[in-house]
Protein backbone atom coordinates (compact mmCIF):
# COMPACT_ATOMS: atom_id res chain seq x y z
CA UNK A 1 0.00 0.00 0.00
CA UNK A 2 1.34 3.38 -0.92
CA UNK A 3 0.23 6.98 -0.88
CA UNK A 4 1.49 9.61 -3.29
CA UNK A 5 0.52 13.25 -3.53
CA UNK A 6 1.68 16.36 -5.32
CA UNK A 7 1.97 19.61 -3.39
CA UNK A 8 2.33 22.60 -5.68
CA UNK A 9 3.21 26.00 -4.25
CA UNK A 10 1.10 28.79 -5.70
CA UNK A 11 0.54 32.48 -4.95
CA UNK A 12 -2.36 31.43 -2.72
CA UNK A 13 -0.47 28.74 -0.80
CA UNK A 14 -0.15 25.03 -1.41
CA UNK A 15 -2.44 22.99 -3.63
CA UNK A 16 -2.55 19.22 -3.25
CA UNK A 17 -3.55 16.48 -5.64
CA UNK A 18 -3.27 12.76 -5.24
CA UNK A 19 -1.55 10.94 -8.02
CA UNK A 20 -1.31 7.43 -9.33
CA UNK A 21 2.21 6.30 -10.06
CA UNK A 22 1.20 3.21 -12.04
CA UNK A 23 1.98 4.88 -15.39
CA UNK A 24 5.23 6.48 -14.17
CA UNK A 25 8.22 4.41 -15.25
CA UNK A 26 11.19 6.74 -14.71
CA UNK A 27 12.28 9.63 -12.54
CA UNK A 28 11.96 11.81 -15.65
CA UNK A 29 8.29 10.79 -15.99
CA UNK A 30 7.73 11.66 -12.34
CA UNK A 31 9.39 15.07 -12.78
CA UNK A 32 7.22 15.75 -15.84
CA UNK A 33 4.11 14.84 -13.85
CA UNK A 34 5.18 17.28 -11.13
CA UNK A 35 5.84 20.05 -13.63
CA UNK A 36 2.34 19.61 -15.07
CA UNK A 37 0.93 20.35 -11.60
CA UNK A 38 2.40 23.87 -11.67
CA UNK A 39 2.09 25.79 -14.91
CA UNK A 40 3.91 28.74 -13.32
CA UNK A 41 7.08 26.66 -12.75
CA UNK A 42 6.73 27.02 -8.98
CA UNK A 43 8.00 24.46 -6.51
CA UNK A 44 6.25 21.10 -6.60
CA UNK A 45 6.83 18.38 -4.04
CA UNK A 46 6.03 14.75 -4.77
CA UNK A 47 5.43 13.01 -1.46
CA UNK A 48 5.47 9.22 -1.45
CA UNK A 49 4.84 6.93 1.52
CA UNK A 50 5.05 3.14 1.37
CA UNK A 51 3.40 1.04 4.08
CA UNK A 52 4.89 3.09 6.89
CA UNK A 53 8.32 1.65 6.07
CA UNK A 54 9.80 4.54 4.10
CA UNK A 55 8.93 7.89 2.61
CA UNK A 56 10.35 9.91 -0.21
CA UNK A 57 10.29 13.52 -1.28
CA UNK A 58 10.99 14.65 -4.82
CA UNK A 59 11.29 18.37 -5.33
CA UNK A 60 10.90 19.93 -8.75
CA UNK A 61 11.61 23.63 -9.18
CA UNK A 62 10.73 24.62 -12.74
CA UNK A 63 13.02 23.01 -15.28
CA UNK A 64 15.78 22.21 -12.77
CA UNK A 65 16.75 18.59 -12.18
CA UNK A 66 14.61 16.97 -9.50
CA UNK A 67 16.03 16.77 -5.99
CA UNK A 68 15.34 13.55 -4.08
CA UNK A 69 15.32 12.37 -0.48
CA UNK A 70 14.47 8.80 0.59
CA UNK A 71 14.20 7.96 4.30
CA UNK A 72 15.30 4.31 4.05
CA UNK A 73 16.96 3.24 0.82
CA UNK A 74 16.86 -0.50 1.56
CA UNK A 75 13.12 -0.46 2.24
CA UNK A 76 12.50 1.69 -0.83
CA UNK A 77 14.54 -0.66 -3.00
CA UNK A 78 11.97 -3.39 -2.32
CA UNK A 79 9.25 -1.19 -3.84
CA UNK A 80 8.61 -0.42 -7.48
CA UNK A 81 7.93 3.19 -6.50
CA UNK A 82 11.12 3.39 -4.48
CA UNK A 83 13.12 2.07 -7.41
CA UNK A 84 11.98 5.13 -9.39
CA UNK A 85 13.77 7.34 -6.88
CA UNK A 86 16.89 5.29 -6.20
CA UNK A 87 19.03 6.37 -9.12
CA UNK A 88 22.65 5.26 -9.51
CA UNK A 89 23.74 8.81 -8.72
CA UNK A 90 21.66 8.90 -5.54
CA UNK A 91 23.19 5.61 -4.37
CA UNK A 92 26.73 6.66 -5.27
CA UNK A 93 27.07 4.07 -8.00
CA UNK A 94 28.63 4.41 -11.41
CA UNK A 95 25.76 5.32 -13.79
CA UNK A 96 24.74 2.35 -15.88
CA UNK A 97 26.62 -0.08 -13.64
CA UNK A 98 25.24 -3.59 -13.71
CA UNK A 99 23.14 -4.20 -10.59
CA UNK A 100 23.47 -7.96 -10.47
CA UNK A 101 26.11 -10.59 -11.07
CA UNK A 102 27.04 -11.60 -14.59
CA UNK A 103 25.22 -14.91 -14.92
CA UNK A 104 27.71 -16.18 -17.52
CA UNK A 105 30.61 -15.76 -15.11
CA UNK A 106 29.03 -17.48 -12.09
CA UNK A 107 30.77 -20.54 -10.74
CA UNK A 108 27.96 -23.03 -10.21
CA UNK A 109 29.57 -25.34 -7.69
CA UNK A 110 26.50 -26.78 -6.00
CA UNK A 111 26.04 -24.01 -3.43
CA UNK A 112 23.39 -22.29 -5.54
CA UNK A 113 20.63 -24.38 -3.93
CA UNK A 114 20.70 -22.25 -0.81
CA UNK A 115 23.78 -23.69 0.87
CA UNK A 116 26.17 -21.06 2.11
CA UNK A 117 29.67 -21.10 0.76
CA UNK A 118 32.41 -21.18 3.36
CA UNK A 119 35.83 -19.60 3.11
CA UNK A 120 39.03 -21.56 3.82
CA UNK A 121 38.91 -20.69 7.52
CA UNK A 122 35.35 -22.03 7.88
CA UNK A 123 33.52 -18.70 7.98
CA UNK A 124 30.63 -17.97 5.66
CA UNK A 125 31.20 -15.39 2.96
CA UNK A 126 29.62 -12.02 3.61
CA UNK A 127 26.80 -10.74 1.44
CA UNK A 128 27.31 -8.29 -1.42
CA UNK A 129 29.00 -5.12 -0.17
CA UNK A 130 27.23 -3.00 -2.80
CA UNK A 131 23.90 -3.50 -1.04
CA UNK A 132 21.55 -0.55 -0.71
CA UNK A 133 22.01 1.16 2.70
CA UNK A 134 19.41 0.92 5.48
CA UNK A 135 19.64 4.66 5.91
CA UNK A 136 18.47 7.88 4.32
CA UNK A 137 19.89 8.85 0.94
CA UNK A 138 19.63 11.96 -1.15
CA UNK A 139 19.42 15.68 -0.59
CA UNK A 140 19.03 16.16 3.15
CA UNK A 141 18.49 19.91 2.66
CA UNK A 142 15.66 19.37 0.15
CA UNK A 143 13.17 21.16 2.43
CA UNK A 144 15.62 23.44 4.25
CA UNK A 145 14.30 26.66 2.74
CA UNK A 146 10.75 25.55 3.54
CA UNK A 147 11.36 25.14 7.28
CA UNK A 148 12.52 21.52 7.59
CA UNK A 149 16.26 21.23 8.00
CA UNK A 150 18.42 18.11 7.74
CA UNK A 151 18.12 17.21 11.42
CA UNK A 152 14.32 17.49 11.42
CA UNK A 153 14.01 15.55 8.14
CA UNK A 154 16.17 12.68 9.38
CA UNK A 155 14.20 12.53 12.65
CA UNK A 156 10.85 12.02 10.90
CA UNK A 157 9.18 8.66 11.45
CA UNK A 158 7.95 6.99 8.26
CA UNK A 159 4.41 6.47 9.58
CA UNK A 160 3.69 10.20 10.03
CA UNK A 161 6.39 11.96 8.00
CA UNK A 162 4.16 13.29 5.23
CA UNK A 163 1.70 14.74 7.74
CA UNK A 164 4.52 16.42 9.64
CA UNK A 165 6.03 17.84 6.45
CA UNK A 166 2.64 19.17 5.35
CA UNK A 167 2.05 20.69 8.79
CA UNK A 168 5.35 22.60 8.72
CA UNK A 169 4.57 23.82 5.18
CA UNK A 170 1.10 24.94 6.25
CA UNK A 171 -0.44 22.42 3.85
CA UNK A 172 -1.83 19.78 6.21
CA UNK A 173 -5.47 20.60 5.42
CA UNK A 174 -4.97 20.38 1.64
CA UNK A 175 -2.97 17.18 1.98
CA UNK A 176 -5.70 15.59 4.10
CA UNK A 177 -8.26 16.33 1.38
CA UNK A 178 -6.43 13.97 -0.98
CA UNK A 179 -5.36 11.35 1.54
Amino acid sequence: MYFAALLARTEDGWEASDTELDDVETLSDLADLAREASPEEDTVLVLIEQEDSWFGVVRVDGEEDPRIYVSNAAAAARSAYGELLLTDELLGREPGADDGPDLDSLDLDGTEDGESEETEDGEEESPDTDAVPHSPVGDREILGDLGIGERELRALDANDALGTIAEVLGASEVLETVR
Side-chain angles (χ1 to χ4, degrees):
M1 179 85 175
Y2 79 97
F3 171 74
L6 299 173
L7 282 180
R9 185 170 24 180
T10 67
E11 292 176 359
D12 301 325
W14 292 94
E15 292 181 5
S17 58
D18 64 341
T19 186
E20 287 294 322
L21 300 179
D22 294 340
D23 296 331
V24 176
E25 296 180 6
T26 65
L27 180 59
S28 179
D29 292 344
L30 186 61
D32 290 343
L33 182 69
R35 287 183 185 102
E36 290 171 11
S38 178
E40 301 297 319
E41 296 189 4
D42 290 321
T43 299
V44 178
L45 301 176
V46 181
L47 304 174
I48 302 172
E49 176 182 75
Q50 179 86 35
E51 298 175 352
D52 296 334
S53 62
W54 67 274
F55 71 92
V57 178
V58 178
R59 179 175 177 161
V60 178
D61 293 301
E63 291 300 317
E64 292 181 26
D65 288 340
R67 296 165 56 191
I68 305 164
Y69 176 82
V70 176
S71 67
N72 182 327
R78 294 186 295 270
S79 159
Y81 303 113
E83 288 179 353
L84 285 173
L85 308 180
L86 297 174
T87 62
D88 288 336
E89 181 182 348
L90 192 69
L91 294 173
R93 295 180 182 161
E94 189 67 34
D98 191 14
D99 291 335
D102 179 9
L103 296 179
D104 293 330
S105 67
L106 288 179
D107 178 19
L108 301 178
D109 61 0
T111 62
E112 62 273 4
D113 290 331
E115 301 171 24
S116 62
E117 190 169 322
E118 294 185 4
T119 60
E120 289 181 20
D121 60 2
E123 293 182 18
E124 290 184 15
E125 286 189 1
S126 62
D128 184 11
T129 57
D130 287 337
V132 177
H134 289 273
S135 61
V137 295
D139 184 349
R140 291 180 172 98
E141 287 294 327
I142 192 169
L143 301 172
D145 64 326
L146 300 174
I148 302 173
E150 176 182 354
R151 179 175 289 161
E152 294 86 2
L153 188 61
R154 290 180 56 107
L156 293 176
D157 187 73
N159 65 3
D160 66 350
L162 300 190
T164 302
I165 290 170
E167 186 176 315
V168 171
L169 298 177
S172 54
E173 286 183 23
V174 294
L175 182 64
E176 283 304 313
T177 63
V178 297
R179 195 179 268 271

